[in-house]
Amino acid sequence: MTDTPPSDTPKRRFRLTRRRMILGSGLVGGALVVGYTAMNPMQVGGALLTAGGPDFDPGPFGPYIRIDADGGVAIVNPQQEMGQGIHAALAAMIAEELDADWDTVRVVDARVNFAAYGPQMTAGSHAVAYHWDKLRKTGAAARSMFVDAAALRWQVPRRLITVQNGVVSHPQSNRSASFAELLTDAARHAPPREPVLKRPEEFRLIGTDRVRRKDCGPKSTGRQVYTQDIQRPDMLVAMVAHSPRFGGMLKRFDDRDARRIKGVVDVFAIETGVAVLAQDTLAARRGRDALRIEWDDSAAERRSSPELTAWYRDIAVGRAVIDATSFETRGDIEQPQTGDRFETTIDFPYLAHAPMEPLDCVAQVRGWDVDIWSGSHLATLDQVQAALTARTIPGRVKLHVLPAGGSFGRRGLMSCDYLVECVRIARRTGHRPVKLMWTREDEMTGGYYRPMVHHQASIVLGADGLPSDWRHRIVAQRLIPVGDNPQNSEGVAGSPYFAAANTLDCRIASPELPVSVSFWRSVGHSHTAMAMEHIVDQLARRARRDPAEYRRALYQKAGATGRLRVLEALCTRAGWGKPLEDGWARGMALHDCFGTIVGQVAEVRLDSGRLVVRRVVAVVDCGIAVSPDQVAAQMEGGIGFGLSAALHGAITLKDGVVQEDNFDSYAPVRMDEMPLVETHILPSTRPPTGMGEPGVPPIAPAVANALFALTGTPTRSLPFGRQA
Amino acid sequence: MTHSLFVNGRLHSVDTDGDAPLLWVLRDHLRLTGTKYGCGKAQCGACTVHADGQPVRSCSLSLADAATSRIETIEGAAGPEAEALTAAWVARGVPQCGFCQSGQLMSALALLRANSAPTDADIDAAMSGNLCRCATYNRIRAGIHDAAAALGDRS
């Protein structure tokens, strides 16, 4: 998966120069040369980023496709693989249109290269949707070049030529040739300006079970290399002692004992704490443990979680005043609510990402030149941040993107915290490479959490039983420093459950405190789906209606045809309304995010107070499912991830200090708690939409609604069974 | 001081103190990086190796204690059970990020060597010490059943 691009031979360089001339003369446009046409703003940006760096050779088939002399097809994955299987979906798009032999297609991870790939940012479940047309056109254009070559060689019309599994044929004359045989000729042809794409019904690969991950071999034998495994000649290992409180500053430290530890090489203060450099990981750890540090907590967060929760509740009801922003307004919101009001609140804790690979990064700074090995998913941003930190230009930063041992958003920070920390240390090692290792405790107590959130809603039902007046307050820290905090109102904003409301008043307040927060798999939907879906079940009960039937009425009113289709399939697949054994109940939730609609029904029982989820039936509409196997895998993974948080997940503060620092106190679901998952993909001809995150949001409310059906008691805080 | 350590059928000489956790000896001294650091306190199972055939968490086993045992890591995992598990993992598409899978496979390997036809309950009991944040658990369970079935067919 992570082999490097072939080095340029003089011959290739010659060909490139010729092609550059063609590109420059304006004869070629379109997908193959994205980022290469003159006056393209991408190229201007790319020139800045690569200034001083090596020129990039796109090869005859563009930056995404490399075909060897023996006909072997390698497809370049510009996105970061963190478990979501993106490499396979993107490669399949190209292989489909190229009609390559999928079984022998290799996938190669791209190094960061703005000129070739534009901004390389893997986030927001956008990669499949974003690349859908672009990569298929790339594949179709390359295919067209092979067809041109064969037509010329055999002197037959193009339209009578077929391509399948990397073999170009003219069936009438029984002639065929492999990509290898036609390679030199094909490379001479110009890519078409507008490559013709297959219609969905013509797909041979996309949407089939043949689109599987290509990295299972190395990942099933211990051979996959992650950042943690990188070894460089003369490399040092670094650990950093961070302030135990958010906002705490280093006052003074005593490193005499630390320096006596065998293997410790250096100790110095950096912006984020005290760095210990050592010959190996254990020495770095022991050196750090031996530091004596005094922190200045004058600006630090000193409160405990219950105080923060109380403060958030006060903000929601106006007892504590901070500015709030309206994100949905309808009707006369100055009028007080009249009639039978339903009121509820839900509290959500901070959540850590806790990917299996704790945070790590390898950096080497040699004057202007910086090399970085990291499981970066905002790779272009990381490249720029590394350059700023090392006082060089981005073009001198070689970022070797490695597969990440999970991320769930933690490795995709705007501030690139641990990477910047690593570069800061690497500037002070006299050119020696440094591997920065965060321990599990560093990661869990280090912030950038899913924020704590408080939802408060006050709703009046109309004569038809549907919500006629909905007032909603959200309190959550901003994920990015500017703006109206839309990442925490997504999923409430534009809800189909507002369809019958004459009065609508939704506001979000964004308190500021030193605890750092960031994107966590499914972002705002990780709490808004719970709030909305659990509220709807409580409203249905109040209106004495079945939760599925109640949703149907609202979706019809809202014209939410996509949700209706998922709802109907979900009821059928889950056996909604059919009796279950004594003690078991079903709960339902539907949510759409990142363009994808997911419905889940959970079967739940209370076993002497312990919540048991035995089975989850999931229905998904993600447009064309490029890889049904990976759609199912993301559904399974999303449910396990969401359920971990809902059952056990909470990062809490006591006197400002995080109390959960490892998997014993912040416990993910283990095998014996994992429900069976049945995934049903709705057939679709719609372009594909995101799948890395949409499996997460519905599971908490599906379980909460099942629990509500079992006990009649609504959930007012997560995780289940714990008071906020 | 120097310790002798028997890993994957070879005797290694390691120059570090006996308190050093086996995990860091494997990773930093012997460069056997298939065994992963995930938690450092025997909570996640990513560092699972075999000591005299028993699955152990190498982050919590000292070099001095490990030196009395035959250690097997993912790099040395061989034999029909290991092959059957790897084949099942690939066929099922078990891994996502893959970081925990060395540990998962070493736990599964110890299980299959001791129990050629494990039930779901046997699997849950043997595997509950191994965390997977990608939640590939159902595929892991199915993969173990597949491997057991393949071994049964062969014998």
Side-chain angles (χ1 to χ4, degrees), chain A residues 469-490:
Chain A
D469 182 331
W470 191 310
R471 321 271 173 122
H472 200 117
R473 300 288 179 271
I474 302 173
V475 184
Q477 285 170 266
R478 280 189 186 85
L479 300 189
I480 50 176
V482 292
D484 293 336
N485 203 355
Q487 292 84 9
N488 278 310
S489 56
E490 61 185 12

PDB file of all heavy atoms in Angstrom, chain A residues 469-490:
ATOM      1  N   ASP A 469     -45.223  24.056  17.748  1.00  0.00           N
ATOM      2  CA  ASP A 469     -44.402  25.146  18.289  1.00  0.00           C
ATOM      3  C   ASP A 469     -43.184  24.504  18.937  1.00  0.00           C
ATOM      4  O   ASP A 469     -43.309  23.728  19.887  1.00  0.00           O
ATOM      5  CB  ASP A 469     -45.232  25.930  19.323  1.00  0.00           C
ATOM      6  CG  ASP A 469     -44.456  27.124  19.887  1.00  0.00           C
ATOM      7  OD1 ASP A 469     -43.208  27.072  19.944  1.00  0.00           O
ATOM      8  OD2 ASP A 469     -45.117  28.103  20.288  1.00  0.00           O
ATOM      9  N   TRP A 470     -42.010  24.758  18.374  1.00  0.00           N
ATOM     10  CA  TRP A 470     -40.792  24.045  18.826  1.00  0.00           C
ATOM     11  C   TRP A 470     -39.733  25.087  19.177  1.00  0.00           C
ATOM     12  O   TRP A 470     -39.325  25.873  18.328  1.00  0.00           O
ATOM     13  CB  TRP A 470     -40.306  23.115  17.709  1.00  0.00           C
ATOM     14  CG  TRP A 470     -39.235  22.133  18.078  1.00  0.00           C
ATOM     15  CD1 TRP A 470     -38.056  22.383  18.727  1.00  0.00           C
ATOM     16  CD2 TRP A 470     -39.237  20.724  17.779  1.00  0.00           C
ATOM     17  NE1 TRP A 470     -37.337  21.219  18.874  1.00  0.00           N
ATOM     18  CE2 TRP A 470     -38.027  20.180  18.295  1.00  0.00           C
ATOM     19  CE3 TRP A 470     -40.127  19.870  17.137  1.00  0.00           C
ATOM     20  CZ2 TRP A 470     -37.701  18.825  18.174  1.00  0.00           C
ATOM     21  CZ3 TRP A 470     -39.794  18.524  17.003  1.00  0.00           C
ATOM     22  CH2 TRP A 470     -38.599  18.004  17.525  1.00  0.00           C
ATOM     23  N   ARG A 471     -39.331  25.094  20.433  1.00  0.00           N
ATOM     24  CA  ARG A 471     -38.238  25.979  20.870  1.00  0.00           C
ATOM     25  C   ARG A 471     -37.078  25.090  21.317  1.00  0.00           C
ATOM     26  O   ARG A 471     -37.286  24.187  22.125  1.00  0.00           O
ATOM     27  CB  ARG A 471     -38.691  26.868  22.038  1.00  0.00           C
ATOM     28  CG  ARG A 471     -40.141  27.386  21.920  1.00  0.00           C
ATOM     29  CD  ARG A 471     -40.211  28.702  21.170  1.00  0.00           C
ATOM     30  NE  ARG A 471     -41.613  29.077  20.935  1.00  0.00           N
ATOM     31  CZ  ARG A 471     -42.154  30.235  21.365  1.00  0.00           C
ATOM     32  NH1 ARG A 471     -41.423  31.101  22.032  1.00  0.00           N
ATOM     33  NH2 ARG A 471     -43.430  30.510  21.091  1.00  0.00           N
ATOM     34  N   HIS A 472     -35.920  25.373  20.783  1.00  0.00           N
ATOM     35  CA  HIS A 472     -34.784  24.460  21.002  1.00  0.00           C
ATOM     36  C   HIS A 472     -33.539  25.273  21.337  1.00  0.00           C
ATOM     37  O   HIS A 472     -33.249  26.263  20.674  1.00  0.00           O
ATOM     38  CB  HIS A 472     -34.557  23.638  19.723  1.00  0.00           C
ATOM     39  CG  HIS A 472     -33.786  22.366  19.926  1.00  0.00           C
ATOM     40  ND1 HIS A 472     -34.333  21.132  19.669  1.00  0.00           N
ATOM     41  CD2 HIS A 472     -32.538  22.129  20.371  1.00  0.00           C
ATOM     42  CE1 HIS A 472     -33.424  20.183  19.934  1.00  0.00           C
ATOM     43  NE2 HIS A 472     -32.331  20.774  20.368  1.00  0.00           N
ATOM     44  N   ARG A 473     -32.822  24.860  22.358  1.00  0.00           N
ATOM     45  CA  ARG A 473     -31.568  25.519  22.724  1.00  0.00           C
ATOM     46  C   ARG A 473     -30.448  24.493  22.751  1.00  0.00           C
ATOM     47  O   ARG A 473     -30.619  23.387  23.284  1.00  0.00           O
ATOM     48  CB  ARG A 473     -31.666  26.155  24.120  1.00  0.00           C
ATOM     49  CG  ARG A 473     -32.755  27.212  24.249  1.00  0.00           C
ATOM     50  CD  ARG A 473     -32.398  28.490  23.499  1.00  0.00           C
ATOM     51  NE  ARG A 473     -33.460  29.495  23.600  1.00  0.00           N
ATOM     52  CZ  ARG A 473     -34.489  29.605  22.759  1.00  0.00           C
ATOM     53  NH1 ARG A 473     -34.619  28.774  21.734  1.00  0.00           N
ATOM     54  NH2 ARG A 473     -35.395  30.545  22.926  1.00  0.00           N
ATOM     55  N   ILE A 474     -29.322  24.850  22.153  1.00  0.00           N
ATOM     56  CA  ILE A 474     -28.129  23.998  22.203  1.00  0.00           C
ATOM     57  C   ILE A 474     -27.012  24.820  22.848  1.00  0.00           C
ATOM     58  O   ILE A 474     -26.839  25.995  22.517  1.00  0.00           O
ATOM     59  CB  ILE A 474     -27.683  23.554  20.788  1.00  0.00           C
ATOM     60  CG1 ILE A 474     -28.805  22.792  20.074  1.00  0.00           C
ATOM     61  CG2 ILE A 474     -26.424  22.692  20.864  1.00  0.00           C
ATOM     62  CD1 ILE A 474     -28.488  22.485  18.610  1.00  0.00           C
ATOM     63  N   VAL A 475     -26.294  24.183  23.745  1.00  0.00           N
ATOM     64  CA  VAL A 475     -25.118  24.835  24.337  1.00  0.00           C
ATOM     65  C   VAL A 475     -23.919  23.937  24.067  1.00  0.00           C
ATOM     66  O   VAL A 475     -23.904  22.769  24.485  1.00  0.00           O
ATOM     67  CB  VAL A 475     -25.290  25.059  25.851  1.00  0.00           C
ATOM     68  CG1 VAL A 475     -24.093  25.826  26.418  1.00  0.00           C
ATOM     69  CG2 VAL A 475     -26.596  25.798  26.148  1.00  0.00           C
ATOM     70  N   ALA A 476     -22.949  24.458  23.342  1.00  0.00           N
ATOM     71  CA  ALA A 476     -21.760  23.668  22.993  1.00  0.00           C
ATOM     72  C   ALA A 476     -20.640  24.600  22.572  1.00  0.00           C
ATOM     73  O   ALA A 476     -20.894  25.611  21.913  1.00  0.00           O
ATOM     74  CB  ALA A 476     -22.065  22.686  21.853  1.00  0.00           C
ATOM     75  N   GLN A 477     -19.422  24.222  22.919  1.00  0.00           N
ATOM     76  CA  GLN A 477     -18.265  25.008  22.474  1.00  0.00           C
ATOM     77  C   GLN A 477     -18.140  24.950  20.963  1.00  0.00           C
ATOM     78  O   GLN A 477     -18.453  23.930  20.337  1.00  0.00           O
ATOM     79  CB  GLN A 477     -16.976  24.439  23.077  1.00  0.00           C
ATOM     80  CG  GLN A 477     -16.754  24.741  24.529  1.00  0.00           C
ATOM     81  CD  GLN A 477     -15.594  23.918  25.055  1.00  0.00           C
ATOM     82  OE1 GLN A 477     -15.797  22.840  25.603  1.00  0.00           O
ATOM     83  NE2 GLN A 477     -14.375  24.411  24.899  1.00  0.00           N
ATOM     84  N   ARG A 478     -17.609  26.031  20.383  1.00  0.00           N
ATOM     85  CA  ARG A 478     -17.318  26.059  18.946  1.00  0.00           C
ATOM     86  C   ARG A 478     -16.212  25.062  18.599  1.00  0.00           C
ATOM     87  O   ARG A 478     -15.253  24.925  19.342  1.00  0.00           O
ATOM     88  CB  ARG A 478     -16.815  27.438  18.544  1.00  0.00           C
ATOM     89  CG  ARG A 478     -17.882  28.462  18.347  1.00  0.00           C
ATOM     90  CD  ARG A 478     -17.277  29.732  17.739  1.00  0.00           C
ATOM     91  NE  ARG A 478     -18.314  30.746  17.693  1.00  0.00           N
ATOM     92  CZ  ARG A 478     -18.599  31.534  18.716  1.00  0.00           C
ATOM     93  NH1 ARG A 478     -17.902  31.460  19.829  1.00  0.00           N
ATOM     94  NH2 ARG A 478     -19.570  32.419  18.622  1.00  0.00           N
ATOM     95  N   LEU A 479     -16.331  24.453  17.429  1.00  0.00           N
ATOM     96  CA  LEU A 479     -15.277  23.558  16.962  1.00  0.00           C
ATOM     97  C   LEU A 479     -14.196  24.312  16.203  1.00  0.00           C
ATOM     98  O   LEU A 479     -13.066  23.859  16.109  1.00  0.00           O
ATOM     99  CB  LEU A 479     -15.861  22.470  16.061  1.00  0.00           C
ATOM    100  CG  LEU A 479     -16.904  21.571  16.717  1.00  0.00           C
ATOM    101  CD1 LEU A 479     -17.239  20.417  15.796  1.00  0.00           C
ATOM    102  CD2 LEU A 479     -16.428  21.045  18.060  1.00  0.00           C
ATOM    103  N   ILE A 480     -14.593  25.419  15.608  1.00  0.00           N
ATOM    104  CA  ILE A 480     -13.593  26.284  14.981  1.00  0.00           C
ATOM    105  C   ILE A 480     -13.810  27.683  15.548  1.00  0.00           C
ATOM    106  O   ILE A 480     -14.927  28.029  15.935  1.00  0.00           O
ATOM    107  CB  ILE A 480     -13.670  26.258  13.435  1.00  0.00           C
ATOM    108  CG1 ILE A 480     -15.099  26.493  12.949  1.00  0.00           C
ATOM    109  CG2 ILE A 480     -13.165  24.951  12.885  1.00  0.00           C
ATOM    110  CD1 ILE A 480     -15.194  26.564  11.442  1.00  0.00           C
ATOM    111  N   PRO A 481     -12.735  28.464  15.636  1.00  0.00           N
ATOM    112  CA  PRO A 481     -12.802  29.694  16.435  1.00  0.00           C
ATOM    113  C   PRO A 481     -13.781  30.748  15.924  1.00  0.00           C
ATOM    114  O   PRO A 481     -14.188  31.604  16.677  1.00  0.00           O
ATOM    115  CB  PRO A 481     -11.364  30.239  16.377  1.00  0.00           C
ATOM    116  CG  PRO A 481     -10.531  29.207  15.720  1.00  0.00           C
ATOM    117  CD  PRO A 481     -11.402  28.221  15.070  1.00  0.00           C
ATOM    118  N   VAL A 482     -14.124  30.685  14.649  1.00  0.00           N
ATOM    119  CA  VAL A 482     -14.996  31.730  14.109  1.00  0.00           C
ATOM    120  C   VAL A 482     -16.340  31.142  13.702  1.00  0.00           C
ATOM    121  O   VAL A 482     -16.487  29.933  13.563  1.00  0.00           O
ATOM    122  CB  VAL A 482     -14.354  32.410  12.866  1.00  0.00           C
ATOM    123  CG1 VAL A 482     -13.142  33.210  13.278  1.00  0.00           C
ATOM    124  CG2 VAL A 482     -13.992  31.377  11.818  1.00  0.00           C
ATOM    125  N   GLY A 483     -17.320  32.023  13.537  1.00  0.00           N
ATOM    126  CA  GLY A 483     -18.597  31.597  12.995  1.00  0.00           C
ATOM    127  C   GLY A 483     -19.625  31.286  14.077  1.00  0.00           C
ATOM    128  O   GLY A 483     -19.368  31.434  15.273  1.00  0.00           O
ATOM    129  N   ASP A 484     -20.794  30.864  13.606  1.00  0.00           N
ATOM    130  CA  ASP A 484     -21.944  30.668  14.484  1.00  0.00           C
ATOM    131  C   ASP A 484     -22.101  29.223  14.943  1.00  0.00           C
ATOM    132  O   ASP A 484     -23.197  28.786  15.256  1.00  0.00           O
ATOM    133  CB  ASP A 484     -23.226  31.124  13.771  1.00  0.00           C
ATOM    134  CG  ASP A 484     -23.231  32.634  13.560  1.00  0.00           C
ATOM    135  OD1 ASP A 484     -22.527  33.327  14.326  1.00  0.00           O
ATOM    136  OD2 ASP A 484     -23.915  33.100  12.645  1.00  0.00           O
ATOM    137  N   ASN A 485     -21.018  28.474  14.925  1.00  0.00           N
ATOM    138  CA  ASN A 485     -21.031  27.121  15.481  1.00  0.00           C
ATOM    139  C   ASN A 485     -21.994  26.177  14.739  1.00  0.00           C
ATOM    140  O   ASN A 485     -22.716  25.400  15.364  1.00  0.00           O
ATOM    141  CB  ASN A 485     -21.411  27.197  16.970  1.00  0.00           C
ATOM    142  CG  ASN A 485     -20.929  25.993  17.754  1.00  0.00           C
ATOM    143  OD1 ASN A 485     -20.386  25.047  17.185  1.00  0.00           O
ATOM    144  ND2 ASN A 485     -21.149  26.016  19.052  1.00  0.00           N
ATOM    145  N   PRO A 486     -22.030  26.256  13.407  1.00  0.00           N
ATOM    146  CA  PRO A 486     -22.970  25.394  12.673  1.00  0.00           C
ATOM    147  C   PRO A 486     -22.671  23.909  12.837  1.00  0.00           C
ATOM    148  O   PRO A 486     -23.567  23.079  12.685  1.00  0.00           O
ATOM    149  CB  PRO A 486     -22.781  25.827  11.208  1.00  0.00           C
ATOM    150  CG  PRO A 486     -21.399  26.390  11.138  1.00  0.00           C
ATOM    151  CD  PRO A 486     -21.185  27.043  12.481  1.00  0.00           C
ATOM    152  N   GLN A 487     -21.415  23.565  13.177  1.00  0.00           N
ATOM    153  CA  GLN A 487     -21.078  22.141  13.339  1.00  0.00           C
ATOM    154  C   GLN A 487     -21.819  21.527  14.520  1.00  0.00           C
ATOM    155  O   GLN A 487     -21.874  20.309  14.642  1.00  0.00           O
ATOM    156  CB  GLN A 487     -19.568  21.963  13.539  1.00  0.00           C
ATOM    157  CG  GLN A 487     -18.731  22.289  12.311  1.00  0.00           C
ATOM    158  CD  GLN A 487     -18.425  23.760  12.188  1.00  0.00           C
ATOM    159  OE1 GLN A 487     -18.695  24.552  13.088  1.00  0.00           O
ATOM    160  NE2 GLN A 487     -17.868  24.151  11.054  1.00  0.00           N
ATOM    161  N   ASN A 488     -22.359  22.361  15.402  1.00  0.00           N
ATOM    162  CA  ASN A 488     -23.089  21.801  16.538  1.00  0.00           C
ATOM    163  C   ASN A 488     -24.603  21.982  16.440  1.00  0.00           C
ATOM    164  O   ASN A 488     -25.335  21.564  17.334  1.00  0.00           O
ATOM    165  CB  ASN A 488     -22.562  22.387  17.855  1.00  0.00           C
ATOM    166  CG  ASN A 488     -21.313  21.654  18.309  1.00  0.00           C
ATOM    167  OD1 ASN A 488     -21.303  20.426  18.365  1.00  0.00           O
ATOM    168  ND2 ASN A 488     -20.253  22.389  18.594  1.00  0.00           N
ATOM    169  N   SER A 489     -25.044  22.634  15.367  1.00  0.00           N
ATOM    170  CA  SER A 489     -26.501  22.693  15.164  1.00  0.00           C
ATOM    171  C   SER A 489     -26.924  21.837  13.976  1.00  0.00           C
ATOM    172  O   SER A 489     -28.118  21.610  13.760  1.00  0.00           O
ATOM    173  CB  SER A 489     -26.958  24.140  14.966  1.00  0.00           C
ATOM    174  OG  SER A 489     -26.274  24.745  13.892  1.00  0.00           O
ATOM    175  N   GLU A 490     -25.947  21.327  13.222  1.00  0.00           N
ATOM    176  CA  GLU A 490     -26.287  20.446  12.094  1.00  0.00           C
ATOM    177  C   GLU A 490     -27.067  19.250  12.640  1.00  0.00           C
ATOM    178  O   GLU A 490     -26.753  18.719  13.695  1.00  0.00           O
ATOM    179  CB  GLU A 490     -25.015  19.984  11.363  1.00  0.00           C
ATOM    180  CG  GLU A 490     -24.055  19.184  12.235  1.00  0.00           C
ATOM    181  CD  GLU A 490     -22.733  18.832  11.538  1.00  0.00           C
ATOM    182  OE1 GLU A 490     -22.451  19.374  10.468  1.00  0.00           O
ATOM    183  OE2 GLU A 490     -22.002  18.009  12.104  1.00  0.00           O
TER     184      GLU A 490
END
